[in-house]
């Protein structure tokens, strides 16, 4: 590597306000800043989506290893000192975490965070949306793969479509603007619903984002045949709804956004056929404190151990900064270049190492 990366601006414990807007994010070896953190608050889930948790049995993270809210707050402070200004809470299913609004309140008070979002399957959202909003959550994304009750059951093993739709309605009522709906598109499963999902999103004032089926984590039944590419989705949508205009936003966000005649917008996340690693500023922290610099990474860094051993905020920030500065991950691009794809991780390996699961890493 030519030359050392610029260090993060040093911060003293407790002076989050003073450094707001002043942190220069650490840049990795490919010049990508550390900005966005996906924070998994639990590995448990109340659905069993066939593309994420298709097995009958799972190995769960030991309870004693799960970070407390205070520990999460301490790690988030260290991450913000290294440049992070956007946090997304995820899981497993984040709304299963007891007293989650307390964590949201704690993080909403960190002024270094410009964006605090949450991704949920929506099953428990109807009861929690107003409380999440009051606690200070900025934005919500709800996963919704189908509008058909029988399909929902086949896809997730639970009879939950009505609850999810009620959750989406409750989110808007609670005052969340620009709710996003995330749809994993799988050939022969829900690829005939793109137009219906667009119409539904329009009717509830949300923006749908179609996600290409990925071969990571628990997607042990993945096959290239099941992937509906971004190009194909655009063809289908264009044929039904008229010319699609790219919004050409050039951001680090994973979704490319498009506009339809009439003004409705939607997104496509093309991680499988047109990955976007070059602009990737995201990393992931599991509920037990392992930090992964790429969704595809086989190994992460244990931040729980130094935290519980008494490392200071400055020590943790330095550790995070120095590790990020050496990051070269381009998992999805390398997978694409390798060709001849199979599911990334065999089931026996996942059972030995649950940190490789999507529901542990937070998607
Ligand atoms: N349980 C919450 C939910 O489903 O919204 C949050 C965690 S989930 C792991 C986060 C996201 O990962 C979801 O939108 C889900 O659709 C996506 N995901 C999981 N497995 C996937 C796969 N094999 N391909 C593409 N997206 C996937
Ligand atoms: Fe489905 Fe999310 Fe649960 Fe995975 S973590 S099984 S995507 S609801
Ligand atoms: Fe970022 Fe890794 Fe996903 Fe590429 S594969 S976009 S580097 S998380």
């Amino acid at each position: 590597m030519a030359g050392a990366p610029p260090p993060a601006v040093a911060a003293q414990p407790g002076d989050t306000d003073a450094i707001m807007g002043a942190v220069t994010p650490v840049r990795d070896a490919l010049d990508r800043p550390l900005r966005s953190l996906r924070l998994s608050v639990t590995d448990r889930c109340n659905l069993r989506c066939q593309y994420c948790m298709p097995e009958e049995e799972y190995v769960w993270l030991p309870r004693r290893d799960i970070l407390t809210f205070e520990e999460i707050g301490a790690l988030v402070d260290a991450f913000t000192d290294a440049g992070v200004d956007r946090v997304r809470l995820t899981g497993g299913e984040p709304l299963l975490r007891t007293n989650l609004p307390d964590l949201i309140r704690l993080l909403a008070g960190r002024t270094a965070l410009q964006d605090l979002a949450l991704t949920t399957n929506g099953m428990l959202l109807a009861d929690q949306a107003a409380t999440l909003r009051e606690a200070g959550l900025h934005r919500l994304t709800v996963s919704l793969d189908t509008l058909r009750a029988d399909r929902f059951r086949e896809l997730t093993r639970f009879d939950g479509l009505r609850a999810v739709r009620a959750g989406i309605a409750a989110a808007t009522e609670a005052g969340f603007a620009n709710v996003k709906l995330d749809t994993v598109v799988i050939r022969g499963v829900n690829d005939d619903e793109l137009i219906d999902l667009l119409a539904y999103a329009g009717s509830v004032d949300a923006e749908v984002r179609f996600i290409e089926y990925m071969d990571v984590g628990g997607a042990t039944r993945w096959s290239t045949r099941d992937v509906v590419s971004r190009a194909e989705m655009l063809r289908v949508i264009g044929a039904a709804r008229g010319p699609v205009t790219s919004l050409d936003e050039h951001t680090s966000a994973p979704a490319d956004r498009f506009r339809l005649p009439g003004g409705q917008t939607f997104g496509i996340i093309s991680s499988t056929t047109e990955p976007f690693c070059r602009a990737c500023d995201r990393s992931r922290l599991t509920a037990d404190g392992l930090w992964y610099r790429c969704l595809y990474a086989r190994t992460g860094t244990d931040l729980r151990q130094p935290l519980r051993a008494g490392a200071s905020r400055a020590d943790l920030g330095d550790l995070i900064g120095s590790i990020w500065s050496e990051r070269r991950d381009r998992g999805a691009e390398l997978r694409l270049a390798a060709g001849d794809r199979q599911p990334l991780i065999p089931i026996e390996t996942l059972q030995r190492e649950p940190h490789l699961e999507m529901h542990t890493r937070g998607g």
Side-chain angles (χ1 to χ4, degrees):
M1 190 177 65
V9 171
Q12 298 306 310
D15 68 355
T16 312
D17 288 352
I19 61 171
M20 187 191 164
V23 173
T24 305
V26 181
R27 301 190 86 85
D28 72 8
L30 304 179
D31 204 29
R32 299 168 297 184
L34 172 61
R35 297 287 305 278
S36 167
L37 181 67
R38 293 183 72 103
L39 216 162
S40 173
V41 293
T42 179
D43 58 331
R44 313 287 165 128
C45 192
N46 48 359
L47 293 182
R48 289 291 181 272
C49 303
Q50 62 173 248
Y51 51 76
C52 179
M53 299 185 75
E55 312 305 327
E56 293 302 322
E57 300 285 337
Y58 282 93
V59 178
W60 306 110
L61 301 177
R63 295 264 176 196
R64 64 178 179 281
D65 290 351
I66 303 297
L67 300 177
T68 65
F69 291 166
E70 289 66 31
E71 288 173 330
I72 292 174
L75 287 179
V76 167
D77 285 340
F79 273 105
T80 57
D81 292 347
V84 164
D85 61 1
R86 295 190 295 259
V87 164
R88 177 172 293 275
L89 302 175
T90 176
E93 174 45 39
L95 300 191
L96 287 177
R97 178 81 190 243
T98 309
N99 298 328
L100 185 72
D102 291 345
L103 176 64
I104 290 172
R105 219 166 281 118
L106 184 147
L107 296 179
R110 302 312 210 244
T111 48
L113 290 183
Q114 298 189 9
D115 188 29
L116 181 58
L118 178 141
T119 298
T120 172
N121 63 27
M123 293 288 285
L124 302 173
L125 188 55
D127 282 345
Q128 296 193 28
T131 318
L132 296 172
R133 180 85 185 136
E134 280 157 24
L137 184 69
H138 302 169
R139 295 191 302 123
L140 258 178
T141 298
V142 184
S143 297
L144 177 69
D145 300 321
T146 177
L147 294 166
R148 301 190 193 174
D150 53 338
R151 256 186 205 174
F152 189 98
R153 199 178 316 113
E154 267 169 49
L155 212 95
T156 68
R157 282 196 228 153
F158 287 86
D159 212 354
L161 181 61
R162 191 191 291 259
V164 177
R165 288 180 70 145
I168 293 166
T172 313
E173 263 166 46
F176 285 104
N178 306 317
V179 171
K180 302 267 193 313
L181 303 180
D182 276 5
T183 302
V184 180
V185 182
I186 304 179
R187 192 177 306 288
V189 173
N190 63 348
D191 56 333
D192 56 351
E193 288 194 64
L194 302 188
I195 307 307
D196 291 350
L197 282 158
L198 274 169
Y200 171 71
S203 74
V204 294
D205 223 8
E207 182 172 286
V208 63
R209 304 189 308 173
F210 297 115
I211 306 175
E212 288 181 353
Y213 187 15
M214 297 167 68
D215 55 353
V216 279
T220 47
R221 301 180 187 175
W222 184 93
S223 139
T224 33
R225 285 186 309 279
D226 300 336
V227 177
V228 181
S229 70
R230 162 197 163 117
E232 186 175 344
M233 291 189 224
L234 286 174
R235 265 199 311 277
V236 170
I237 294 168
R241 294 284 305 265
V244 176
T245 313
S246 165
L247 292 179
D248 260 343
E249 292 168 318
H250 299 299
T251 66
S252 64
D256 286 334
R257 294 177 69 236
F258 302 90
R259 184 179 288 115
L260 290 166
Q264 184 177 6
T265 54
F266 67 97
I268 296 186
I269 301 180
S270 54
S271 326
T272 304
T273 68
E274 296 181 47
F276 33 82
C277 302
R278 256 174 219 86
C280 177
D281 60 7
R282 272 178 309 288
S283 63
R284 292 166 167 82
L285 188 67
T286 63
D288 62 345
L290 255 74
W291 182 39
Y292 288 92
R293 268 82 65 202
C294 178
L295 187 54
Y296 283 79
R298 300 298 281 248
T299 54
T301 304
D302 182 2
L303 296 179
R304 182 185 77 246
Q305 193 278 329
L307 177 72
R308 290 191 176 169
S312 69
R313 172 172 173 169
D315 289 343
L316 290 166
D318 287 348
L319 176 65
I320 290 165
S322 73
I323 290 173
W324 184 265
S325 70
E326 292 180 1
R327 173 185 187 244
R328 291 184 170 275
D329 298 78
R330 296 190 300 122
E333 286 181 354
L334 297 178
R335 288 289 288 165
L336 181 63
D340 186 28
R341 291 169 75 162
Q342 308 291 328
L344 179 65
I345 306 184
I347 177 66
E348 306 75 40
T349 313
L350 286 169
Q351 282 163 347
R352 273 198 311 276
E353 180 39 302
H355 288 102
L356 298 172
E357 294 275 8
M358 191 78 143
H359 68 267
T360 308
R361 288 193 180 189

